[in-house]
Amino acid sequence: LLRALRARRYDVILAAGIHKHRREGLVSALAAGPRAVRASLWRPADFHGLFTHVVRVPVGRHMAHRFLHLAQAAVDDAPP
């Protein structure tokens, strides 16, 4: 499955879940190509190395707002 995902050459991978830090980090790191942006909502410091961007989102936001905030931060900082 990971080989098939990596073959798709994703440019951006967004991990907007708030649980299962290790699983989301490993899957995004293994599925992403070398230039892909891997963005996540804020996680414990142990997991920051699995993502290229870790974004703080204002507290009390709806999940849709969190996802949009995460996507905007990832795309704004993406390499050309």
Side-chain angles (χ1 to χ4, degrees):
L1 177 63
L2 289 173
R3 191 175 302 159
L5 288 173
R6 192 168 185 127
R8 292 181 179 206
R9 297 181 176 213
Y10 291 108
D11 294 325
V12 178
I13 295 177
L14 303 174
I18 55 175
H19 300 292
K20 300 179 182 167
H21 309 296
R22 183 171 290 116
R23 182 185 312 169
E24 286 184 347
L26 289 173
V27 169
S28 67
L30 293 172
R35 293 176 41 101
V37 173
R38 298 180 318 271
S40 173
L41 296 176
W42 192 258
R43 306 211 177 247
D46 296 350
F47 303 101
H48 287 196
L50 296 171
F51 301 97
T52 58
H53 295 73
V54 181
V55 179
R56 278 197 193 268
V57 178
V59 178
R61 295 284 185 137
H62 188 275
M63 192 62 190
H65 289 121
R66 291 180 181 196
F67 187 78
L68 290 173
H69 187 84
L70 175 63
Q72 183 176 11
V75 172
D76 288 347
D77 291 339

